[in-house]
C-alpha cells in the first residue's frame, strides 16, 4: 500500500463452562498507517502499533501467552 489506514479490534474468551479447566480472556488492538512522503509515492512512512491484554493469563495454556516476554513481563 502507498497510503491509508487499518485498524483491528479483537477479543477471545475461553470460558471454564466450555469444557476447559481454567478460563481466560484476551483483548487486542492493532493499527497501521501509511503516509506518502513524496508526491510520486515511492517513499512513504509506515507506522504500526499494537496492544494485547490477557485477563487471568496465569490460567492460560503456554501457547496462548503473549509472544514477547510472556505473562510476567
Amino acid at each position: 500500500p502507498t497510503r491509508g489506514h487499518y485498524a483491528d479490534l479483537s477479543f477471545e474468551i475461553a470460558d471454564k463452562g466450555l469444557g476447559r479447566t481454567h478460563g481466560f480472556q484476551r483483548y487486542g488492538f492493532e493499527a497501521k498507517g501509511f503516509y506518502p512522503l513524496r508526491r510520486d509515492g515511492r517513499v512513504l512512512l509506515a507506522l504500526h502499533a499494537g496492544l494485547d491484554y490477557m485477563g487471568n493469563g496465569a490460567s492460560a495454556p503456554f501457547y496462548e501467552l503473549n509472544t514477547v516476554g510472556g505473562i510476567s513481563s
Side-chain angles (χ1 to χ4, degrees):
T2 57
R3 67 177 60 228
H5 301 89
Y6 169 83
D8 182 39
L9 183 63
S10 63
F11 65 94
E12 176 182 356
I13 298 173
D15 193 15
K16 288 172 60 173
L18 297 175
R20 294 181 173 263
T21 57
H22 300 288
F24 65 93
Q25 308 83 33
R26 173 181 283 167
Y27 307 95
F29 175 74
E30 180 181 17
K32 299 177 186 178
F34 302 94
Y35 306 96
L37 299 177
R38 290 179 33 183
R39 291 182 192 253
D40 63 5
R42 296 184 65 188
V43 178
L44 56 104
L45 175 65
L47 301 173
H48 178 230
L51 296 171
D52 194 24
Y53 172 76
M54 182 176 287
N56 200 19
S59 297
F62 75 94
Y63 53 84
E64 290 286 350
L65 297 178
N66 294 328
T67 55
V68 178
I71 195 68
S72 298
S73 63

